[in-house]
Amino acid sequence: EDKVVQSPLSLVVHEGDTVTLNCSYEVTNFRSLLWYKQEKKAPTFLFMLTSSGIEKKSGRLSSILDKKELSSILNITATQTGDSAIYLCGGLGSGATNKLIFGTGTLLAVQP
Amino acid sequence: SAVISQKPSRDICQRGTSLTIQCQVDSQVTMMFWYRQQPGQSLTLIATANQGSEATYESGFVIDKFPISRPNLTFSTLTVSNMSPEDSSIYLCSAQGHPLYNEQFFGPGTRLTVL
């Protein structure tokens, strides 16, 4: 059965810290891994990773995929209170349905 | 990316009633999905809404409980039928624009509370 596991489940840091969130996956015919940020209700798309070893970057956020290890990390540098959210990763397999299998998420709290 | 709206944004319903949630996308998309997120949990896929045919349901979800419509490429509805307090969740629709581009974008969600 396909599954995605995220760690840690929750994390509390102070503003300015750097954090690394982890995601491991077992997805049949894996195609891509997607990261989302969820603050209230709707997850906001962050990154889609398809190729191993190529870092994607957006401001203070970056992410990379390791297909050999079946994992991905999301880095946030110089954290701000506005980064407080649940970070979700989802694994996407090949096939007609294009459905995402989500992990349980990492709850990040950034304290002033 | 697609802009997705949902309504209602929230509702409080009585046990045994049904609620229909609407999802509107501002452009034609290939695929639309419905997810449920129960309190403290991650997102669970309910079904894929297929345009012009019956939805494809995931294990544990059935059409009688969660009937879905998708009359065209920009609109879908999810009905939560014969509700019980266990149906209290956030319901989210998502859309994917093109089979070659795998990003899925989410609507703002509907927060449902069943008393």
Side-chain angles (χ1 to χ4, degrees):
Chain A
E1 185 178 331
D2 292 348
K3 66 177 179 181
V4 173
V5 178
Q6 292 184 245
S7 64
L9 290 180
S10 64
L11 191 56
V12 180
V13 300
H14 290 96
E15 273 192 316
D17 288 349
T18 293
V19 298
T20 298
L21 310 183
N22 301 287
C23 177
S24 64
Y25 62 89
E26 293 177 27
V27 175
T28 305
N29 297 322
F30 174 81
R31 178 159 52 171
S32 300
L33 189 130
L34 287 79
W35 283 97
Y36 292 86
K37 177 183 181 182
Q38 186 176 29
E39 293 178 85
K40 291 184 180 177
K41 286 189 297 187
T44 304
F45 174 78
L46 294 175
F47 298 110
M48 183 181 72
L49 305 162
T50 304
S51 300
S52 198
I54 298 175
E55 184 182 56
K56 291 210 170 180
K57 200 169 169 64
S58 176
R60 296 177 293 103
L61 277 67
S62 63
S63 184
I64 196 164
L65 178 68
D66 186 339
K67 284 187 172 180
K68 193 179 291 187
E69 297 295 327
L70 305 182
S71 66
S72 174
I73 60 171
L74 175 69
N75 282 319
I76 309 175
T77 60
T79 52
Q80 303 171 357
T81 55
D83 296 325
S84 297
I86 297 172
Y87 289 84
L88 296 163
C89 75
L92 184 68
S94 300
T97 60
N98 285 318
K99 64 181 183 183
L100 278 170
I101 307 297
F102 280 99
T104 52
T106 294
L107 174 61
L108 174 65
V110 182
Q111 295 181 339
Chain B
S1 66
V3 176
I4 305 171
S5 61
Q6 276 184 242
K7 57 181 181 181
S9 60
R10 60 173 59 222
D11 207 342
I12 301 173
C13 300
Q14 295 296 320
R15 181 195 301 260
T17 62
S18 298
L19 176 72
T20 295
I21 303 168
Q22 298 180 6
C23 179
Q24 180 73 55
V25 188
D26 70 341
S27 57
Q28 292 187 345
V29 291
T30 307
M31 309 194 76
M32 295 180 74
F33 305 89
W34 287 97
Y35 289 84
R36 180 175 75 181
Q37 188 174 31
Q38 294 178 301
Q41 305 291 317
S42 188
L43 279 73
T44 301
L45 181 64
I46 297 171
T48 303
N50 300 310
Q51 194 265 325
S53 64
E54 193 172 286
T56 305
Y57 289 86
E58 297 300 307
S59 176
F61 297 96
V62 296
I63 188 171
D64 290 345
K65 176 67 176 177
F66 297 103
I68 287 170
S69 78
R70 190 173 172 202
N72 56 52
L73 292 176
T74 64
F75 185 78
S76 178
T77 67
L78 168 75
T79 299
V80 186
S81 302
N82 188 24
M83 288 183 284
S84 67
E86 292 71 36
D87 294 319
S88 297
S89 284
I90 296 173
Y91 291 86
L92 294 138
C93 74
S94 72
Q96 178 176 316
H98 191 282
L100 294 181
Y101 301 104
N102 295 330
E103 294 95 329
Q104 279 189 29
F105 298 94
F106 285 83
T110 296
R111 186 182 298 275
L112 171 62
T113 302
V114 184
L115 303 178

